[in-house]
Amino acid sequence: MFEARLLRSSILKKVLEAIKDLLTQATFDCDDNGIQLQAMDNSHVSLVSLTLRADGFDKYRCDRNISLGMNLSSMSKILKCAGDKDTVTMKAQDNADTVTFVFESPNQEKVSDYEMKLMNLDLEHLGIPETEYSCTIRLSSAEFARICRDLSQFGESIVISCTKEGVRFSASGDIGSANIALAQTASVDKEEEAVVIEMEEPVTLTFACQYLNYFTKATSLSPQVQLSMSADVPLVVEYRIPDIGHIRYYLAPKIDD
Amino acid sequence: PLTQTKLQNFFTQI
C-alpha cells in the first residue's frame, strides 16, 4: 500500500507545472524515503530530477517500493480539479495498475477522488556523478526567470559567464545583442534577493534558451535558484522546495561544431 | 555554430 498526503495541493500542482513542458510521461519511484522522479526530455539534452522527502508529507506510507508510471498531461488534468487549499492524497495498492488522487476541501465538505491508469514505462536511469563545481551562483528565482525571458528575444542561446566579479548573461542574434551583469550583493534586506557567488575558477558556458525557460516554470516553488557550472559538464539549475525537497534540472552545454 | 550536446556524453547509464 502506498499513500502520501499533502496539506496543500498547490505544491503538487506547481511541481507538475515545473516538469510538464519537458516530459510527457515519467515514473514516480516511491519508497520509505519519499518520492523520486528522474527523467530525460525527449531530445536527451536535459534531465529532471525531483525529490519529495517522506517527512515533508502530512502523512506518508510506503509498505513496498512502488514505481508509478504516469502520463503527465493526464495527471495535470486531474490536479487542475483540486483547489489550491485542498488536501491531496495519492494512493496505490501494491502491484496496482491505477493510482487514485483524493482531494478534500479545508472544511471536509467536499471530497473528490480521481482514478488514473498507470503506464508501464521503459526507463533509462542515468547515474549522476558527484561533481565539484567551479562556480555556484545563487540568485532570486524571479530574477533568473526574467533574465532568461528577456534574453530569449535576442537569440537561441544564452552565454553564462561567471567570474569573481559577478555573473554575466549574454545573448546575440539578428536584432542585436544583450548583456545582463549581476554583481555579488554586498548586503540585502531580503536574503532571497541576494546574489551569492562561490567560485573556484571562472567558467563560461553556452546553453539553449528554450530549456532554461522550461526550467523557470519551477519559479513558484522557491524564492531562490542555484546554478552550478563547471567547464564541459552539464549546468545544474536547482530549486529547493521548502520543507519537502528539491527539483534539479541538468542541461548539457552547447559546444562549437 | 554551436551544437547542443546530449546528456549521455556526461552521465553513466545504469
Side-chain angles (χ1 to χ4, degrees):
Chain A
M1 176 77 184
F2 166 74
E3 190 172 347
R5 178 181 151 99
L6 280 170
L7 285 180
R8 289 273 181 272
S9 70
S10 54
I11 293 179
L12 206 51
K13 287 178 176 225
K14 289 174 186 173
V15 163
L16 249 280
E17 279 304 307
I19 61 178
K20 74 179 176 57
D21 285 347
L22 282 166
L23 311 173
T24 51
Q25 53 200 31
T27 297
F28 290 71
D29 292 310
C30 312
D31 64 18
D32 259 359
N33 299 315
I35 302 175
Q36 292 265 1
L37 177 154
Q38 194 206 80
M40 273 194 284
D41 75 280
N42 291 336
S43 51
H44 288 203
V45 300
S46 75
L47 178 136
V48 180
S49 174
L50 168 75
T51 296
L52 299 173
R53 293 187 313 270
D55 62 30
F57 288 86
D58 177 45
K59 181 182 176 190
Y60 190 90
R61 174 183 165 189
C62 186
D63 300 337
R64 219 189 260 197
N65 293 4
I66 184 169
S67 291
L68 306 172
M70 309 229 208
N71 176 311
L72 297 182
S73 115
S74 308
M75 186 176 171
S76 190
K77 281 179 190 164
I78 289 175
L79 285 172
K80 285 208 172 90
C81 304
D84 277 348
K85 291 182 178 171
D86 285 0
T87 295
V88 56
T89 307
M90 289 167 66
K91 285 188 210 177
Q93 300 293 331
D94 294 341
N95 303 317
D97 55 6
T98 61
V99 59
T100 303
F101 295 88
V102 181
F103 306 136
E104 293 166 79
S105 64
N107 56 15
Q108 306 270 314
E109 282 170 358
K110 181 180 173 189
V111 179
S112 338
D113 65 87
Y114 296 83
E115 193 180 71
M116 186 176 86
K117 288 177 193 154
L118 291 171
M119 308 170 77
N120 251 330
L121 300 177
D122 193 16
L123 285 174
E124 38 185 358
H125 260 96
L126 291 175
I128 302 169
E130 281 290 318
T131 308
E132 289 288 324
Y133 290 95
S134 302
C135 298
T136 61
I137 305 144
R138 215 163 62 237
L139 72 156
S140 145
S141 60
E143 182 69 79
F144 180 61
R146 172 102 200 242
I147 290 169
C148 294
R149 190 195 69 194
D150 290 351
L151 292 188
S152 298
Q153 303 180 98
F154 289 84
E156 289 177 0
S157 303
I158 293 181
V159 180
I160 306 178
S161 180
C162 185
T163 64
K164 63 177 185 296
E165 283 78 36
V167 58
R168 177 183 290 268
F169 301 86
S170 314
S172 61
D174 294 343
I175 65 167
S177 64
N179 292 291
I180 299 168
L182 296 180
Q184 181 151 211
T185 339
S187 67
V188 279
D189 295 336
K190 291 184 186 168
E191 199 191 329
E192 61 260 32
E193 288 173 8
V195 176
V196 180
I197 295 169
E198 286 168 31
M199 195 205 75
E200 296 294 323
E201 53 186 318
V203 178
T204 296
L205 291 170
T206 304
F207 301 99
C209 278
Q210 187 188 8
Y211 284 88
L212 296 176
N213 278 314
Y214 287 150
F215 303 164
T216 62
K217 297 287 163 69
T219 301
S220 62
L221 283 168
S222 181
Q224 281 213 312
V225 60
Q226 180 169 301
L227 314 177
S228 304
M229 300 199 300
S230 278
D232 303 323
V233 303
L235 163 77
V236 189
V237 180
E238 176 179 337
Y239 295 85
R240 290 180 194 161
I241 312 169
D243 304 321
I244 190 163
H246 60 252
I247 183 161
R248 290 186 189 135
Y249 302 93
Y250 295 82
L251 178 63
K254 287 185 159 191
I255 51 164
D256 281 322
D257 261 342
Chain B
L2 293 162
T3 307
Q4 184 71 57
T5 51
K6 301 251 174 178
L7 276 177
Q8 280 97 330
N9 299 343
F10 301 101
F11 296 149
T12 50
Q13 204 86 32
I14 300 179

